[in-house]
Amino acid sequence: MGLLTRLAGTAIVLALASASANAQDYPVKNITLIVPFAAGGPTDVVARIVGEHMSRTLGHQIVIENTLGAGGTTASTRAKRAAPDGYTIIMGHMGTHAASVALYPKLQYDPRTDFEPIGMAAGTPILVLAKKDFPAKDLKEFVAYVKANVDKLNNAHAGVGSVSFTTCLLLNSIMGVKPTTIPFNGTGPAMNALVAGQVDYMCDQIINAVPQIKAGNIKAYAIAAAARDPSLPDVPTTAEAGLPAYQASAWNALFAPKDTPKPVLEKLSAALDKALDDEGVRKRLLDLGSDIPGKDRRGPVALGALVKSEVDKWGKVIKDAGAEVN
């Protein structure tokens, strides 16, 4: 064996040993947590709640970076291209890491292969919402009114590919309507427009809506889940309200770039798990209507399987609705 070959082999061994040592020492500095939407929306809220506790566990601050655009796919592309060292992670969701595959033919990442799953953070039921002076008094009247006046109505969402876009795409498809859709840079701004009466209706994760519903600022016609939510006991399920075909839920989960070292992923996953077991974190999430995943649904393996199944599920919904972004 020549000297150069031996030297090259030694360099590789040393590099691998250095990477392993760095992973074992992780973290040694702050961690950037990319949130694909504006501050104040449901994904941002979940990220801040769990990120705060994870920071204490890891001993370094998790810093939120709100990166907007293209229904969350701009942020997801940035996360994919980040160094796989655990210092840049992303809070993805059903839109960015499932529905986007069917919606964006030129998508620059594949959520099934370009990310390492860290764990599920929260499940979030979907609500059918409208501005407070919307004429309908219940879901049946809502459906009838939208069908009769669709040319005059608009539907707010947080960008093509977002949860609010995709879940209302399903609702509109079930109702057989195609209203004007109004995009915003996140569900927070979309909710503000709904509260102000600038848009007519939207579908949103429960986290974003509970305070506004309780304050009487908007109407909630139904929750698209199998059971009522304790945070909004007076809001019926879609089945109770007469539209059983509409069932939709969202989720928020942490991902790292592909090839992030296993010891780093394990530390991040353990920190998330500890956060979700904390009574203070649980109370904050539950008060907002979140579904906290059980141990069997939290980890990387379960999340990886969920992403694959959700890509298939929402791909069919989007194909059937004829929706696509060129």
Side-chain angles (χ1 to χ4, degrees):
M1 184 182 293
L3 178 60
L4 289 177
T5 302
R6 288 199 301 273
L7 288 173
T10 301
I12 292 171
V13 170
L14 289 173
L16 291 172
S18 175
S20 176
N22 289 340
Q24 295 298 335
D25 293 340
Y26 173 88
V28 296
K29 61 181 181 179
N30 290 345
I31 299 162
T32 296
L33 172 50
I34 298 173
V35 172
F37 300 100
T43 303
D44 179 76
V45 170
V46 171
R48 291 177 190 276
I49 291 174
V50 299
E52 180 183 314
H53 192 281
M54 289 176 68
S55 295
R56 297 198 295 270
T57 299
L58 294 167
H60 286 274
Q61 191 72 25
I62 290 181
V63 180
I64 304 296
E65 177 188 294
N66 297 94
T67 302
L68 315 182
T73 61
T74 299
S76 299
T77 301
R78 162 160 154 54
K80 172 205 167 181
R81 293 172 176 168
D85 55 10
Y87 291 103
T88 302
I89 58 178
I90 185 168
M91 183 66 80
H93 64 21
M94 176 269 282
T96 61
H97 282 67
S100 57
V101 174
L103 281 167
Y104 291 88
K106 298 178 182 178
L107 192 67
Q108 296 183 45
Y109 63 90
D110 187 327
R112 296 163 292 191
T113 57
D114 287 329
F115 295 90
E116 304 288 353
I118 295 169
M120 173 84 79
T124 52
I126 300 299
L127 294 164
V128 179
L129 306 167
K131 60 184 180 180
K132 65 181 178 182
D133 59 353
F134 199 88
K137 72 174 186 298
D138 58 30
L139 187 61
K140 285 184 178 179
E141 287 192 4
F142 171 84
V143 172
Y145 187 86
V146 171
K147 286 183 174 181
N149 298 276
V150 65
D151 293 340
K152 306 172 188 174
L153 300 176
N154 57 54
N155 159 206
H157 61 83
V160 175
S162 65
V163 168
S164 52
F165 173 86
T166 308
T167 53
C168 248
L169 181 69
L170 176 59
L171 175 65
N172 291 331
S173 179
I174 291 170
M175 292 193 295
V177 299
K178 290 188 176 181
T180 299
T181 61
I182 310 294
F184 292 85
N185 276 328
T187 318
M191 177 59 73
N192 291 339
L194 189 69
V195 169
Q198 297 167 350
V199 293
D200 296 307
Y201 71 97
M202 67 183 292
C203 306
D204 199 9
Q205 299 174 65
I206 194 169
I207 289 175
N208 202 37
V210 170
Q212 301 296 352
I213 294 167
K214 289 184 174 180
N217 294 330
I218 57 175
K219 285 184 177 179
Y221 288 111
I223 183 168
R228 296 191 183 202
D229 193 277
S231 65
L232 294 170
D234 295 330
V235 177
T237 66
T238 47
E240 291 173 330
L243 197 65
Y246 185 56
Q247 296 287 313
S249 62
W251 44 267
N252 291 282
L254 290 176
F255 298 87
K258 183 181 179 181
D259 296 328
T260 298
K262 187 176 179 181
V264 170
L265 295 171
E266 288 173 345
K267 287 187 178 182
L268 288 166
S269 184
L272 174 60
D273 191 52
K274 189 172 181 180
L276 295 177
D277 283 341
D278 179 79
E279 286 304 317
V281 170
R282 294 177 69 85
K283 184 178 187 306
R284 291 173 71 186
L285 290 173
L286 289 170
D287 284 349
L288 291 169
S290 290
D291 167 37
I292 298 174
K295 296 280 188 180
D296 61 328
R297 294 166 51 216
R298 284 185 201 172
V301 174
L303 177 56
L306 176 68
V307 168
K308 290 176 183 176
S309 66
E310 288 279 276
V311 167
D312 293 341
K313 170 187 170 180
W314 289 103
K316 183 178 186 305
V317 169
I318 291 160
K319 182 180 178 181
D320 290 348
E324 187 179 281
V325 180
N326 296 318

